[in-house]
């Protein structure tokens, strides 16, 4: 009887029959990886510092590393791929570039360049193969917004569509390229942080916007949301914290059930700062960061720490079950579950 009571008290973690483990795919590349696009269980693209782009066509058994010619010094913080041939990559910092390849990385076309010293692009999200949005830190208190309707061949500045000026010290983070989330039909969420944290939402491809308060850890330039995901139009999760205090977890994860309008704390949180989060299914979520990885099997209400390995981003296959982590020192791992 005591064992039964103990098991009930410790549920869902210690009585959950499902197990989770991580396995290295590669660890030896001299680049800090943040961009991640898991297309299928076989095709994965990554991007990072030193102008590096990597891809695998066999689920991570072998990797091809590419440095777009003329862009070898860039830090590619986000990447979106559609198959083994086509991908769009964006760098952080100034000058800002957006590059596209249609031949598997053998050649790249520069589709956007901005030499403004204040430009800093944070994340990229595609609604479908043709329509996408990119957002960046504010210039003169105005969030930078770019949109494509031709699969990334050209980009239109739509910053004027967002009528809300950002507060002093309010910006965003390009820690994993996941502070922007798109869903079909024109839905997009963008999270800001720093001195103030907000969620900016558009349901019509960035034409009109709403703003919602996000009560995650904020108030300093190193605090706020660093990763976000939505399972559907209502249910979502945001993770973050303070990247310079990555083992503290006073308010690092929040959940929404109304499309980001309101946010609540889980019953038990992630263990520390987290910069990437993704839904494996409606009930199972995984969050990762420089101080480790946590799993929730009850829709984000409770989290269990499963690894201390440092990563920047995590993503599940768009057309399968492969879950991939990317991090500093070229670390690429997969999740077994």
């Amino acid at each position: 009887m005591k064992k039964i009571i103990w098991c009930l008290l410790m549920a869902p973690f210690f009585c959950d029959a499902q197990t989770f483990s991580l396995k290295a795919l590669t660890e030896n590349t001299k680049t800090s990886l943040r961009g991640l696009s898991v297309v299928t269980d076989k095709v994965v693209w990554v991007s990072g510092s030193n102008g590096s782009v990597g891809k695998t066509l066999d689920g991570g058994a072998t990797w091809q590393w590419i440095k777009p010619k003329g862009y070898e010094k860039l830090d590619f913080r986000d990447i979106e791929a559609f198959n083994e041939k086509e991908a769009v990559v964006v760098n952080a910092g100034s000058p800002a570039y957006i590059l596209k390849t249609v031949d598997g990385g053998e050649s790249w076309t520069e589709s956007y360049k901005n030499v403004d010293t204040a430009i800093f692009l944070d994340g990229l999200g595609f609604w479908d193969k043709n329509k996408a949005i990119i957002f960046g830190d504010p210039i003169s208190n105005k969030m930078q917004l770019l949109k494509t309707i031709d699969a990334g061949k050209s980009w239109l500045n739509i910053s004027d569509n967002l009528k809300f000026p950002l507060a002093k010290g309010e910006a965003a983070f390009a820690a994993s390229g996941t502070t922007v989330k798109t869903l079909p039909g024109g839905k997009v969420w963008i999270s800001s942080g720093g001195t103030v944290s907000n969620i900016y939402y558009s349901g019509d491809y960035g034409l009109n916007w709403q703003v919602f308060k996000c009560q995650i850890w904020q108030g300093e330039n190193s605090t706020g949301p660093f990763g976000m995901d939505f399972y559907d139009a209502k249910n979502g999760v945001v993770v973050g914290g303070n990247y310079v205090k990555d083992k503290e977890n006073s308010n690092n994860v929040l959940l929404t059930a109304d499309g980001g309008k309101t946010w609540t704390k889980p019953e038990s949180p992630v263990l520390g700062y987290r910069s990437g989060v993704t839904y494996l299914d409606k009930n199972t979520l995984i969050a990762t960061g420089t101080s480790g990885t946590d799993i929730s099997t009850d829709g984000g209400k409770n989290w269990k720490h499963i690894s201390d390995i440092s990563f920047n981003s995590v993503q599940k296959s768009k057309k399968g079950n492969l879950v991939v982590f990317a991090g500093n020192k070229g670390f690429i791992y997969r999740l077994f579950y």
Side-chain angles (χ1 to χ4, degrees), residues 36-37 78-82 88-90 98 122-136 145-149 151-152 155 158 176-184 186-190 205-206 209 228 315 318:
L36 178 60
S37 186
D78 204 1
I79 189 169
E80 184 77 23
F82 307 101
V88 175
V89 67
V90 57
I98 303 171
D122 294 293
L124 161 67
F126 271 81
W127 288 289
D128 54 46
K129 191 172 182 179
N130 290 315
K131 301 184 186 71
I133 190 168
I134 290 176
F135 87 104
L145 295 170
L146 304 172
K147 181 180 175 180
T148 183
I149 58 173
W155 294 86
I158 61 166
S176 61
T178 58
T179 44
V180 56
K181 174 66 179 183
T182 52
L183 285 181
K187 299 177 182 66
V188 58
W189 294 262
I190 294 172
Y205 297 98
W209 294 84
M228 177 174 57
Q315 193 177 113
K318 303 170 190 175

Side-chain angles (χ1 to χ4, degrees), residues 167-213:
K168 184 178 180 180
E170 179 185 2
F173 300 102
S176 61
T178 58
T179 44
V180 56
K181 174 66 179 183
T182 52
L183 285 181
K187 299 177 182 66
V188 58
W189 294 262
I190 294 172
S191 59
S192 68
T195 57
V196 176
S197 178
N198 287 308
I199 303 296
Y200 297 88
Y201 170 74
S202 173
D204 55 7
Y205 297 98
L207 181 61
N208 297 284
W209 294 84
Q210 296 173 272
V211 59
F212 312 124
K213 295 294 182 183

Side-chain angles (χ1 to χ4, degrees), residues 66-79:
I66 306 156
K67 289 198 175 187
K69 189 175 181 180
Y71 306 93
E72 293 87 352
K73 295 183 179 180
L74 298 185
D75 188 356
F76 293 123
R77 295 289 182 92
D78 204 1
I79 189 169

Side-chain angles (χ1 to χ4, degrees), residues 249-281:
N249 68 338
S250 60
N251 184 16
N252 290 13
V253 55
L254 295 174
L255 305 167
T256 183
D258 58 11
K261 295 178 182 178
T262 61
W263 297 85
T264 59
K265 289 185 178 182
E267 295 173 14
S268 60
V270 296
L271 197 61
Y273 158 80
R274 298 292 176 260
S275 56
V277 63
T278 192
Y279 281 89
L280 306 189
D281 55 48

Side-chain angles (χ1 to χ4, degrees), residues 5 39 48 53 56 75 82 105 111 121-122 131 136 174 177 214 244 258 263 274 280 288 290 305-306 310 312 335:
I5 294 173
V39 183
V53 175
T56 179
D75 188 356
F82 307 101
S111 58
L121 301 180
D122 294 293
K131 301 184 186 71
C214 182
V244 298
D258 58 11
W263 297 85
R274 298 292 176 260
L280 306 189
T288 198
T290 53
H305 190 68
I306 63 168
S310 173
N312 295 318
L335 177 74

Side-chain angles (χ1 to χ4, degrees), residues 220 222 242-246 273:
E220 304 173 61
S222 57
N242 189 335
Y243 72 84
V244 298
K245 299 177 181 178
D246 69 350
Y273 158 80

Side-chain angles (χ1 to χ4, degrees), residues 16-21 295 297 304 306 335-337:
D16 191 341
Q18 189 171 14
T19 59
F20 302 91
S21 61
I295 288 276
T297 57
K304 176 185 177 183
I306 63 168
L335 177 74
F336 284 92
Y337 63 103

